[in-house]
Amino acid sequence: MSQLSVQHLLGIKHLKVTDIDLIFKTANHFKEVINRPIKKVPSLRDITIANLFFENSTRTKLSFELAEKRLSADIINFSASQSSVKKGETLIDTANNILSMKVDIIVMRHPNVGACDFLSKNVHAKIINAGDGTHEHPTQALLDSYSIREKLGTVKDKKIVIIGDILHSRVALSNIYALKLQGAEVKVCGPKTLIPKHIESLGVSIEYSLKKALDWCDVANVLRVQNERMKINYFPSTREYSQLFGINKKILDSLDKKIVIMHPGPINRGVEITSDVADADQSIILNQVENGVAIRMAVIYLLAQQIVQ
Amino acid sequence: MSKKTLLNSKEIHIILHRLACQLIENHNSFEKTVVIGIQPRGVHLAKRLVSILQNDYNISKVKLGQLDITFYRDDFRRREAPLEASKTTIDFIIEGKNVVFIDDVLYSGRSIRAALTAIQSFGRPENIELLVLIDRRFSRHLPIQPDYTGRQVDVINKEKVTVHWKENDKKDAVYIINN
């Protein structure tokens, strides 16, 4: 198969395992491209992409922008803070105005769950979800799985624990879908208040003891505590959180194996993980960042193949 | 569908040795020359030529690379079937080198145009030459001509020239297929 089964990338939920394989295979080629002296290919020189970020983002936005530039696409950037959204313009009007400028692909981050899904049904462009509320962040999950596959050879049958603020994380949900689809065993671990109800229905188990979770796993995917999304206190103090769920060198050294450490960033150093863990050789955090560009190039390239001129 | 043999195994063997000798005439010890097979089918020819240079003419250390041109093609999204990329492997410096592109069939010239753009991502070669096994004359869309040719053929556009290699297709042969 050399074509995606979906018209938009709205979430991992809509993908098949063959789609993930195709994205990874294409990303392998782009990873080679971005390590060349000249890191650019002309494939998308007739494509225009709008990056619509209705919510703050640094690394995802930079990663998408770089991926688009590496493919030679024309890009326009839109931030809600400096836009007509502040004046009361609706999402569809904003998108349609941008589309009138002959845009082919929209990469959108939005604080509301389902915003990308809504847009895909109402405007004529390819939509890539760059994170919608606490729902999905498909390209992050893809690059996480890709990084695991790169480090361990496969995702199938690997034991992966997602640690931390599961409740407010879009990375967690997309990761659960992606990892389960590829045959991994998945656990979530965090304070009871930050584990969503009925999460077991997604085929994952819950572990409240960090030590037990780390003893069990091959990979620990540590999530950021999303203070900006918390309207109430979910745990007594940051200090207590880091004592119970923070990963430090001492706890890693107490394990009888070397597990892989991941983090989607940005890291709250000393809260979720300590600096010596973030910078340890078993951490693949910077590989995740590098792989992010290749994965996003692959997704954009594959969706652009479906655009008929 | 009719299938006509243009070259058999023995003829291909003779042609490959002749092409190898022509390369030696121009590149001598290959110290400043690198050979780049264009993916996917030019790579078979490139490997075969390098093997002849090394085994039959004792030219050791010929640098061989594989270049995929998928992302540089000008027919992206104009084809019925989506393009699938192959692997690019160029683990040496091409800056200032004499580059010899190797492809099995030269038809419209668009693949070579894409290859000329793609190779720029690896530096600025001193010069670039083109070697092809089959040159389909009179079917060029672009002003591109080979420096080394195995055999020139005149076939009408609806006919297809396919090259088979024993490594992949059990025997060496070139066919003209009329659909």
Side-chain angles (χ1 to χ4, degrees):
Chain A
M1 196 184 84
S2 58
Q3 198 156 16
L4 290 177
S5 69
V6 291
Q7 294 294 309
H8 310 274
L9 183 67
L10 303 175
I12 300 291
K13 196 180 177 180
H14 308 286
L15 297 183
K16 294 176 181 164
V17 73
T18 48
D19 292 322
I20 294 184
D21 284 340
L22 176 63
I23 292 168
F24 287 179
K25 199 173 146 198
T26 313
N28 285 339
H29 297 302
F30 286 126
K31 197 156 176 194
E32 185 269 318
V33 167
I34 59 180
N35 282 298
R36 289 179 190 173
I38 295 169
K39 305 160 178 62
K40 208 172 164 86
V41 292
S43 309
L44 265 59
R45 62 194 157 199
D46 53 346
I47 292 283
T48 306
I49 303 176
N51 298 313
L52 269 58
F53 279 72
F54 292 89
E55 203 181 54
N56 288 338
S57 166
T58 308
R59 71 200 57 223
T60 304
K61 194 174 170 195
L62 282 180
S63 182
F64 266 111
E65 209 173 312
L66 200 57
E68 291 152 5
K69 285 178 174 168
R70 298 273 193 249
L71 289 166
S72 302
D74 287 322
I75 60 171
I76 50 174
N77 287 312
F78 169 97
S79 309
S81 56
Q82 304 145 14
S83 75
S84 311
V85 173
K86 289 269 176 207
K87 299 172 189 169
E89 190 174 58
T90 65
L91 175 59
I92 286 187
D93 281 342
T94 304
N96 276 329
N97 274 291
I98 288 169
L99 286 178
S100 302
M101 300 172 201
K102 310 296 176 210
V103 166
D104 306 289
I105 299 175
I106 291 178
V107 176
M108 187 168 83
R109 168 165 289 191
H110 201 281
N112 294 340
V113 171
C116 294
D117 195 32
F118 172 76
L119 203 63
S120 72
K121 291 186 173 85
N122 289 287
V123 301
H124 185 69
K126 298 277 171 198
I127 310 293
I128 298 174
N129 184 356
D132 59 333
T134 55
H135 183 224
E136 282 229 41
H137 191 353
T139 53
Q140 179 69 45
L142 288 167
L143 76 89
D144 287 347
S145 293
Y146 182 82
S147 304
I148 294 171
R149 201 186 269 204
E150 193 178 62
K151 182 79 179 173
L152 301 178
T154 178
V155 175
K156 191 168 165 41
D157 299 329
K158 295 294 174 206
K159 294 173 176 168
I160 294 150
V161 61
I162 303 172
I163 300 167
D165 184 358
I166 315 292
L167 184 68
H168 297 100
S169 173
R170 46 194 168 214
V171 177
L173 185 62
S174 284
N175 258 299
I176 290 169
Y177 286 140
L179 295 168
K180 295 293 293 178
L181 195 60
Q182 293 170 84
E185 274 188 76
V186 184
K187 267 188 205 301
V188 292
C189 174
K192 272 186 184 174
T193 49
L194 291 174
I195 305 282
K197 280 181 188 170
H198 312 302
I199 194 157
E200 295 101 323
S201 65
L202 298 175
V204 302
S205 53
I206 303 171
E207 176 58 66
Y208 294 110
S209 155
L210 178 66
K211 178 73 169 71
K212 280 185 188 169
L214 295 178
D215 273 331
W216 171 82
C217 74
D218 300 308
V219 178
N221 193 356
V222 189
L223 303 179
R224 188 171 64 86
V225 176
Q226 311 230 6
N227 288 313
E228 74 278 10
R229 290 180 193 274
M230 296 183 188
K231 293 187 176 69
I232 57 168
N233 288 334
Y234 287 86
F235 46 82
S237 69
T238 305
R239 183 180 154 81
E240 187 178 309
Y241 179 89
S242 71
Q243 280 178 348
L244 289 174
F245 295 99
I247 298 183
N248 52 40
K249 200 79 176 72
K250 197 175 150 198
I251 195 165
L252 283 187
D253 289 344
S254 73
L255 307 175
D256 59 359
K257 58 185 173 181
K258 220 171 182 185
I259 61 167
V260 177
I261 301 289
M262 302 174 69
H263 194 297
I267 305 169
N268 293 316
R269 281 184 185 248
V271 181
E272 302 109 20
I273 48 178
T274 53
S275 282
D276 49 1
V277 171
D279 303 331
D281 60 351
Q282 64 200 97
S283 147
I284 58 166
I285 295 169
L286 292 177
N287 303 67
Q288 288 174 267
V289 178
E290 183 187 343
N291 291 338
V293 178
I295 284 288
R296 288 173 177 121
M297 284 174 82
V299 167
I300 295 166
Y301 177 82
L302 290 168
L303 285 176
Q305 276 201 336
Q306 301 171 355
I307 298 170
V308 180
Q309 287 290 307
Chain B
M1 189 183 82
S2 67
K3 186 171 165 183
K4 196 174 90 184
T5 304
L6 178 69
L7 294 175
N8 61 29
S9 169
K10 196 178 168 193
E11 288 166 323
I12 291 177
H13 178 80
I14 294 167
I15 287 172
L16 290 182
H17 277 264
R18 193 243 304 157
L19 289 170
C21 290
Q22 283 180 290
L23 284 174
I24 294 167
E25 277 173 30
N26 286 348
H27 298 277
N28 204 359
S29 64
F30 280 71
E31 262 176 27
K32 263 195 79 186
T33 301
V34 299
V35 172
I36 305 279
I38 309 295
Q39 283 278 24
R41 316 257 336 158
V43 172
H44 300 302
L45 174 58
K47 281 183 182 165
R48 192 68 77 79
L49 280 169
V50 169
S51 153
I52 291 171
L53 290 170
Q54 288 175 337
N55 300 329
D56 297 356
Y57 298 98
N58 294 324
I59 298 171
S60 57
K61 294 177 186 167
V62 181
K63 287 193 172 70
L64 170 66
Q66 306 176 18
L67 179 67
D68 182 66
I69 55 163
T70 308
F71 303 126
Y72 299 86
R73 295 191 66 102
D74 58 5
D75 55 356
F76 179 70
R77 286 182 289 110
R78 286 175 180 81
R79 297 183 147 221
E80 279 179 23
L83 291 167
E84 214 167 307
S86 301
K87 203 172 165 49
T88 293
T89 316
I90 299 178
D91 50 8
F92 43 78
I93 308 288
I94 66 145
E95 185 79 28
K97 294 282 186 348
N98 301 312
V99 170
V100 183
F101 279 159
I102 311 268
D103 209 353
D104 60 348
V105 181
L106 177 61
Y107 178 35
S108 67
R110 286 176 190 268
S111 298
I112 301 303
R113 188 220 52 82
L116 288 167
T117 315
I119 200 70
Q120 289 174 22
S121 298
F122 295 89
R124 183 179 181 272
E126 178 73 19
N127 60 54
I128 300 176
E129 291 180 332
L130 174 62
L131 180 152
V132 295
L133 182 62
I134 306 293
D135 174 15
R136 289 183 61 160
R137 284 194 302 180
F138 312 130
S139 45
R140 219 73 81 235
H141 300 177
L142 301 168
I144 285 170
Q145 302 303 335
D147 297 288
Y148 310 92
T149 306
R151 171 71 67 90
Q152 275 187 332
V153 291
D154 304 330
V155 286
I156 54 174
N157 275 337
K158 66 176 181 180
E159 288 174 327
K160 197 178 169 199
V161 178
T162 59
V163 181
H164 287 207
W165 297 106
K166 66 181 172 201
E167 294 87 336
N168 270 18
D169 314 296
K170 292 182 186 159
K171 65 171 184 175
D172 291 343
V174 180
Y175 300 106
I176 296 178
I177 296 168
N178 195 338
N179 285 315

